[in-house]
Amino acid sequence: KRRIGVMTSGGDAPGMNGAVRAVVRMSIAQNCEVYAIYEGYEGLVQGGDMIKEMGWDDVRGFLSEGGTLIGTARCKSFMERPGRLIAAKNMIVKGIDALIICGGDGSLTGADKFRKEWPGLLEELIQKQELTEEQVEPFKHLNIVGLVGSIDNDLSMTDATIGCYSSLGRICESVDYIDATAFSHQRAFVIEVMGRHCGWLALMAGVSCGADFVFLPENPPPLDWEDDMCKIIKKHRELGKRKTIVIVAEGAHDRYLKKISPAHVRDLLTNKLHLDTRITTLGHVQRGGTACAYDRMLSTLQGAEAVKAVLEATPETPSPVICMIENKIVRRPLLEAVKQTHEVAEAIAAKDFDRAMSLRDAE
Ligand code: ATP
């Protein structure tokens, strides 16, 4: 029987539990044994009780739950080869030769690195007499399959990551609450949302909530944005709007890469337009709560596809990541998706915003 490990890693996202549930149940349906690795790579490095066999009933009730019930962590030791050596030993001791990882680009990069190093790690384990050749023999190839769990929708090559629509829904709901009080007092609100390198949440929240102005990391405003923003908001007020909503992505900056702070935006609206202006930082409510219907559906379909990908993998197939493109669940090479994702961040850091935007458009 194949033994498949499943873990969640990096920042938590609603829908991760749905992915674990789907992997567990699809594995069992395909006559495999399946193990949950608790606390991300930390569980893989610690081994023992952190790697537990899962039965059908162990994931009952997982589908709607937010966060990740098997835990996640940032694991420093897995970043270094000695940590990955211990992780490899723990996997072989448990008889696991396939890993399905639900996480962000960092987690998926780590997974692919682990797969590349795998033959060398096995050799080292034999040399150090941690394991015998006979023990290692059945585990010559490691299969890795990625599932993208991230509220930011920041991975290239997929239209939606697991968690982004739950988070967008939460932002819209929160802005609706703010709208009521803003309208009543004719106030302005500057709302900071998550997104360090990716403005998807800010942009989609802007569209969904009818915001007056949105600041994104990929497309910083022109240098005279202060006058520009005030002109637009003044016009909206003259047209009879009683409230003003400005959305700032946490990674938003101007063309000099100077952070656009909500406090600075508030001061402009207060001093130049004389609006009673408040700041709301939505913070971690954006991550929490139950998974929306879309994320339950996405995580279930993708989790099932991930198990299929494990069973169909050959030593030559590059590690796949399970994506959603034009409403279809598809596999793409994991490393290429991560590479494209990093290219956007690099373009922003190099102030090449045309390139950042064209990469986003190409997505
Ligand atoms: P998010 O985008 O939500 O932050 P992420 O998966 O990108 O999620 P990271 O903190 O970058 O989150 O990565 C999670 C864990 O994956 C790290 O703590 C580390 O254990 C492992 N990891 C990340 N990058 C690497 C790498 N280059 N090599 C080995 N392991 C890595």
Side-chain angles (χ1 to χ4, degrees):
K1 264 193 185 182
R2 289 293 298 270
R3 288 190 181 172
I4 301 174
V6 59
M7 70 158 85
T8 53
S9 174
D12 65 299
M16 281 184 159
N17 292 317
V20 171
R21 172 180 174 272
V23 169
V24 166
R25 293 192 169 175
M26 185 66 171
S27 299
I28 295 170
Q30 296 291 320
N31 204 26
C32 301
E33 287 179 6
V34 60
Y35 288 73
I37 296 156
Y38 285 75
E39 317 300 340
Y41 290 116
E42 195 58 50
L44 209 54
V45 175
Q46 286 189 23
D49 283 352
M50 301 286 271
I51 306 177
K52 281 191 207 140
E53 188 175 358
M54 300 293 269
W56 191 272
D57 294 348
D58 291 327
V59 288
R60 182 164 288 148
F62 268 44
L63 193 53
S64 60
E65 289 281 340
T68 162
L69 292 162
I70 62 170
T72 181
R74 313 258 181 214
C75 173
K76 276 208 183 112
S77 50
F78 194 80
M79 301 288 284
E80 311 296 333
R81 191 181 156 101
R84 294 194 290 274
L85 186 71
I86 301 171
K89 183 180 171 186
N90 287 334
M91 280 183 59
I92 292 174
V93 167
K94 292 274 181 188
I96 299 168
D97 68 350
L99 272 185
I100 298 176
I101 293 136
C102 184
D105 59 335
S107 305
L108 302 184
T109 310
D112 203 75
K113 193 186 254 182
F114 192 42
R115 181 188 172 184
K116 282 213 191 82
E117 279 179 358
W118 186 255
L121 294 173
L122 299 194
E123 255 173 49
E124 202 175 326
L125 287 169
I126 295 169
Q127 263 171 21
K128 289 187 169 161
Q129 298 187 336
E130 301 262 355
L131 294 174
T132 62
E133 280 196 35
E134 293 72 47
Q135 277 178 301
V136 162
E137 182 54 35
F139 298 97
K140 284 277 187 248
H141 302 290
L142 171 66
N143 286 156
I144 295 285
V145 177
L147 291 169
V148 200
S150 162
I151 62 161
D152 294 344
N153 201 6
D154 57 353
L155 201 98
S156 298
M157 291 194 178
T158 188
D159 294 344
T161 55
I162 294 170
C164 71
Y165 278 103
S166 298
S167 182
L168 179 62
R170 203 82 61 226
I171 294 171
C172 289
E173 210 180 320
S174 309
V175 175
D176 287 348
Y177 294 150
I178 290 167
D179 262 357
T181 175
F183 182 92
S184 309
H185 290 268
Q186 301 193 48
R187 279 185 182 136
F189 276 82
V190 183
I191 299 171
E192 190 181 79
V193 302
M194 286 186 173
R196 268 169 296 162
H197 303 293
C198 181
W200 186 87
L201 278 176
L203 182 63
M204 293 308 158
V207 173
S208 313
C209 303
D212 295 79
F213 211 87
V214 176
F215 291 99
L216 310 174
E218 299 92 331
N219 190 22
L223 294 175
D224 58 352
W225 66 268
E226 297 183 352
D227 286 342
D228 200 27
M229 179 190 74
C230 289
K231 228 184 272 169
I232 288 169
I233 290 172
K234 187 163 174 272
K235 188 172 141 212
H236 289 174
R237 286 282 172 160
E238 283 164 1
L239 289 168
K241 233 179 154 177
R242 285 175 61 88
K243 62 178 172 71
T244 300
I245 301 288
V246 176
I247 296 183
V248 185
E250 64 182 334
H253 46 73
D254 65 16
R255 289 200 172 244
Y256 294 121
L257 296 184
K258 191 167 158 266
K259 185 173 160 49
I260 292 179
S261 75
H264 180 55
V265 177
R266 176 202 54 206
D267 293 347
L268 282 171
L269 298 180
T270 308
N271 300 331
K272 289 204 170 181
L273 298 182
H274 311 294
L275 294 173
D276 181 4
T277 309
R278 310 293 162 100
I279 295 173
T280 301
T281 303
L282 292 183
H284 284 75
V285 289
Q286 293 166 89
R287 304 195 92 96
T290 55
C292 69
Y294 185 87
D295 281 326
R296 297 178 199 195
M297 181 269 292
L298 187 67
S299 59
T300 301
L301 297 180
Q302 292 196 336
E305 180 68 14
V307 175
K308 280 196 213 161
V310 164
L311 298 179
E312 289 167 15
T314 66
E316 292 74 40
T317 349
S319 303
V321 58
I322 312 299
C323 300
M324 167 69 99
I325 300 178
E326 294 184 351
N327 255 347
K328 290 194 176 58
I329 304 292
V330 292
R331 298 174 201 171
R332 289 290 178 268
L334 190 157
L335 264 196
E336 266 178 51
V338 169
K339 188 168 155 255
Q340 268 195 32
T341 306
H342 290 168
E343 274 171 12
V344 179
E346 281 158 19
I348 294 171
K351 300 191 197 178
D352 191 348
F353 303 113
D354 290 341
R355 180 164 164 72
M357 284 305 283
S358 74
L359 286 167
R360 282 277 183 254
D361 283 346
E363 284 170 23

